[in-house]
Amino acid sequence: MWLDEQRLIQRLVPRLLRFRQTNFYRIIQRTLMLTFPFILIGTFSQIIQLTVLTKTGFIASIFHLSKWVPYYRYLHYPFDSLTTLTLNGVAVVAAFGAAKYHAKLNQRDDQLAGLTAAIALLIVAYQYTNQNQIGVFNTLLIGTNGLTGALIVGGLTGLFFKWFSKPVPAQSSPHTADILTRTFSSLLPMALILVLAVLVSLALNWLMIITYSAESWSAFQKYATTSHSLWLTFGMAVVTLLLEILGLAGPYQERLVTNSATMTANLNYALTHHSAYHVPYPYTANTLYHAFGTFGGTGMLLALVIAIYIGSNNHNYHVVARWSLLPALFNSNGPLLTGLPVLYNPIYLIPFVLVPVVNMGLAALAIGFHWIPPVVYPVPVGTPGPLIAFIGTNGNVVALLLGIVDLALSVVIYLPFMRLAETIVQAAQAQVGGEVGGAKHV
């Protein structure tokens, strides 16, 4: 079995290595690395905000913090601001980085390209409102779900600078005249991108006014998350996972509200009959996807963190895993998505989708055979992934054991893909070292 895995890895390495060496992949990887510290800081701030400084948070509920901590009701304000300005604005950083690295590869003014892309994304994300004529920024476009759009804006800005501006010298002069020359040579691509951004923004606002797309998406998400069809639940889970690894928002990305129709019906049944085994809606996003398929966030990336600890020899992998462990325990996958990275990485596509679906399948079988009751009871905000099913079933030990089995199985599935990714990194480093050594030798 191990030899077969090694042969498959050796066969895939050359093809994936060629993809890794493309400028397209390099720009994406460097851009994600640029966003990583902002996402890491924002994630830790969000964990504190949800688990400690929210009355219904996991840690706040255990220690009853709101009853004895002075000024508890005001402590969340700075963390709200920090979370909003990092996680809900990180796509602006991504647009800056994508344009900067693209322009730099083509010897264009990378600083102006980056700033132009950041402003262009803000223009695109600006939504006009009728209240006091003050608009707002759409966080779906400038937050963590806007990374794909930011890469598109940054890449397009880099192309415009390549087509419509002149190359800049490698060693540019600090004199004001030379800086002005570089600025004026970049005015045309800057103007074209900003005008294009204004047109796209107007088109998006018109589309939202005509079709009420925001309300339509909310209605679709509500329908998907409140459905009790087993096949639709699995289908929406797969759609969410595919969209998430592409940096987009899926219907199951946000945790369900506690007053949805299916959850209320299940909870009322359990309270009335003193049992949750025969609730009317046993197969929903809450009972399957959120309870058993999101340990460590979408893609069950807590298993990947453990796989790195077990089987990786890469120092950088271990550094990212150490910083991502606490967020993963509280179901935040942002640091691992951008730090490893998992986003846009074809190697992790299969386990990212397969692992949650397998765990949901095991949970569905366990519920169907009445080995465990469905998750129907409210769970504190920010509850660690492996404890969600245990608390949500009112302390069912079998549900806790099933969660542990799911996590162990997930680690086994992630391990070979992690080894493949690590082998490709080693091959790329060896190739770079060989080229440098050869150049020195010559």
Side-chain angles (χ1 to χ4, degrees):
M1 181 70 177
W2 184 81
L3 291 176
D4 292 339
E5 179 185 318
Q6 290 299 311
R7 291 195 192 99
L8 181 60
I9 288 177
Q10 294 303 324
R11 194 175 301 173
L12 291 173
V13 164
R15 297 178 183 178
L16 293 172
L17 186 59
R18 284 195 295 270
F19 173 73
R20 180 187 174 86
Q21 292 170 336
T22 61
N23 289 337
F24 173 77
Y25 180 81
R26 289 175 178 173
I27 291 171
I28 290 179
Q29 189 178 43
R30 292 176 182 178
T31 301
L32 293 178
M33 289 295 104
L34 185 65
T35 64
F36 171 69
F38 296 97
I39 289 180
L40 184 66
I41 293 171
T43 299
F44 274 94
S45 173
Q46 186 180 58
I47 291 172
I48 296 172
Q49 173 190 353
L50 294 178
T51 63
V52 179
L53 301 178
T54 302
K55 288 185 178 180
T56 56
F58 179 71
I59 297 176
S61 300
I62 293 175
F63 297 103
H64 305 287
L65 298 181
S66 61
K67 296 182 178 180
W68 58 272
V69 174
Y71 305 105
Y72 178 82
R73 60 184 297 184
Y74 303 107
L75 296 178
H76 68 92
Y77 289 130
F79 292 94
D80 291 349
S81 301
L82 182 59
T83 302
T84 300
L85 293 174
T86 50
L87 296 184
N88 291 340
V90 72
V92 180
V93 179
F96 174 89
K100 173 182 172 66
Y101 296 130
H102 194 287
K104 194 170 185 178
L105 284 173
N106 294 286
Q107 297 181 335
R108 298 309 194 265
D109 196 316
D110 57 329
Q111 293 182 352
L112 282 178
L115 292 172
T116 302
I119 295 173
L121 181 63
L122 289 173
I123 293 173
V124 170
Y126 194 77
Q127 291 182 347
Y128 304 100
T129 63
N130 294 325
Q131 298 178 354
N132 300 325
Q133 303 299 319
I134 298 176
V136 294
F137 290 107
N138 188 342
T139 55
L140 283 176
L141 297 178
I142 63 173
T144 52
N145 294 126
L147 290 177
T148 299
L151 290 171
I152 294 173
V153 171
L156 191 60
T157 303
L159 283 175
F160 273 48
F161 269 73
K162 177 183 176 181
W163 293 336
F164 302 111
S165 67
K166 298 178 181 179
V168 296
Q171 299 293 333
S172 57
S173 172
H175 295 299
T176 303
D178 294 327
I179 295 174
L180 284 175
T181 300
R182 290 176 53 182
T183 301
F184 281 108
S185 67
S186 301
L187 276 180
L188 179 58
M190 291 175 65
L192 292 174
I193 281 293
L194 294 179
V195 169
L196 181 61
V198 170
L199 295 176
V200 172
S201 176
L202 292 174
L204 288 176
N205 279 275
W206 175 82
L207 184 65
M208 292 186 66
I209 293 173
I210 297 300
T211 64
Y212 301 98
S213 57
E215 289 80 1
S216 301
W217 171 252
S218 298
F220 167 73
Q221 190 176 37
K222 183 178 180 181
Y223 168 74
T225 54
T226 57
S227 170
H228 53 86
S229 166
L230 179 64
W231 299 112
L232 183 60
T233 299
F234 274 83
M236 289 297 102
V238 171
V239 170
T240 300
L241 293 163
L242 289 174
L243 290 175
E244 175 84 1
I245 201 170
L246 295 175
L248 302 170
Y252 285 175
Q253 188 182 40
E254 296 296 332
R255 184 156 178 81
L256 302 183
V257 293
T258 56
N259 60 351
S260 67
T262 54
M263 294 178 66
T264 302
N266 285 344
L267 181 59
N268 288 338
Y269 181 95
L271 294 176
T272 302
H273 295 82
H274 307 288
S275 173
Y277 278 98
H278 300 283
V279 295
Y281 307 113
Y283 306 116
T284 66
N286 191 62
T287 61
L288 295 179
Y289 180 77
H290 290 293
F292 294 96
T294 57
F295 296 177
T298 309
M300 206 151 178
L301 292 186
L302 177 59
L304 180 55
V305 173
I306 298 173
I308 291 173
Y309 275 108
I310 292 174
S312 175
N313 296 317
N314 188 297
H315 173 71
N316 292 333
Y317 276 25
H318 279 273
V319 171
V320 174
R322 282 198 298 271
W323 283 102
S324 302
L325 178 59
L326 183 62
L329 285 173
F330 289 95
N331 302 316
S332 295
N333 60 1
L336 208 60
L337 284 174
T338 55
L340 210 54
V342 174
L343 274 178
Y344 314 110
N345 194 331
I347 298 172
Y348 291 113
L349 175 61
I350 293 176
F352 193 86
V353 177
L354 178 63
V355 165
V357 171
V358 169
N359 293 333
M360 289 172 61
L362 293 176
L365 287 175
I367 293 172
F369 285 108
H370 301 296
W371 296 336
I372 63 171
V375 173
V376 298
Y377 296 99
V379 177
V381 177
T383 298
L387 296 179
I388 290 177
F390 178 68
I391 296 175
T393 56
N394 198 26
N396 187 278
V397 177
V398 179
L400 177 63
L401 294 176
L402 179 60
I404 296 173
V405 170
D406 284 341
L407 185 58
L409 180 61
S410 303
V411 173
V412 173
I413 296 175
Y414 263 112
L415 266 172
F417 295 94
M418 185 276 299
R419 292 194 183 104
L420 174 59
E422 186 179 36
T423 302
I424 292 172
V425 171
Q426 291 172 350
Q429 291 174 345
Q431 190 176 59
V432 171
E435 291 175 355
V436 173
K440 290 181 178 179
H441 180 73
V442 171

